[in-house]
Amino acid sequence: MYQVVRKKKKIKKVKFSDEIYGFPMASERKIFRIQEEPIKNIVIINTKLAHPLISKKVAKEYKKLVATLMELLTSDDDTGETFREALNRIEKFRQEIKNKYRHFLKKKELEEMGKQLQVFKQEANIRFIELQNSLYENTLQQGKGK
């Protein structure tokens, strides 16, 4: 982490300790204007300020993930690729939340998302196993029929 300290239009970077976590703010053009000064990177360190921003971002990603999972789990795929894809997306989202945002989100929010993702994961696992079993039974029946 770095902090910008302005002294007579010179920029000096001051390094923070590694235990401080920050949330980089996003913008369309990656440049913010504060008192007509262009600022490229803003990192919010205060968890109370970062929580609403991160909550909104995670909720948006979560809704998108749920919509994708519903589509993947309801599709008719005989190979089981959609179930594997659903499991991969769930794990990717879980790891992203764990690594990037856990310091800013409340424990209750993390638990609720975790429970819902666990339900989706179990459903995808069950359907994938059922599909594998039916494919295995079909190959056994075809082998006996010859």
Side-chain angles (χ1 to χ4, degrees), residues 1 27 36 41 49 59 63-64 86 89 99 104 137 143 145:
M1 281 304 179
S27 72
E36 299 303 319
N41 296 321
L49 293 175
K63 285 181 183 180
K64 191 185 296 184
R89 288 188 187 204
N99 294 332
F104 300 104
E137 289 173 3

Side-chain angles (χ1 to χ4, degrees), residues 55-120:
S55 260
K56 185 177 177 181
K57 181 177 181 175
V58 169
K60 185 177 177 183
E61 289 179 23
Y62 184 72
K63 285 181 183 180
K64 191 185 296 184
L65 175 70
V66 168
T68 307
L69 290 175
M70 294 302 289
E71 184 179 313
L72 288 172
L73 293 176
T74 57
S75 69
D76 295 330
D77 183 22
D78 293 340
T79 62
E81 190 63 34
T82 57
F83 302 125
R84 278 191 236 120
E85 179 68 25
L87 290 170
N88 288 341
R89 288 188 187 204
I90 290 170
E91 188 61 27
K92 180 181 176 187
F93 181 78
R94 193 183 69 75
Q95 288 294 326
E96 183 177 319
I97 296 301
K98 180 181 173 186
N99 294 332
K100 287 186 179 179
Y101 307 122
R102 73 170 172 216
H103 301 287
F104 300 104
L105 294 174
K106 295 179 181 173
K107 189 174 182 179
K108 184 177 179 181
E109 292 172 325
L110 292 171
E111 288 175 355
E112 287 176 9
M113 280 192 287
K115 287 177 184 177
Q116 292 174 349
L117 288 176
Q118 190 66 27
V119 169
F120 280 118

Side-chain angles (χ1 to χ4, degrees), residues 2 7-8 10 48 52 56 75 77 81 110 126-127 131 138 141:
Y2 294 93
K7 290 185 179 180
K8 295 182 184 178
K10 289 184 181 178
K48 288 182 181 179
K56 185 177 177 181
S75 69
D77 183 22
E81 190 63 34
L110 292 171
I126 290 169
R127 290 188 182 190
L131 181 65
N138 286 342
Q141 289 177 356

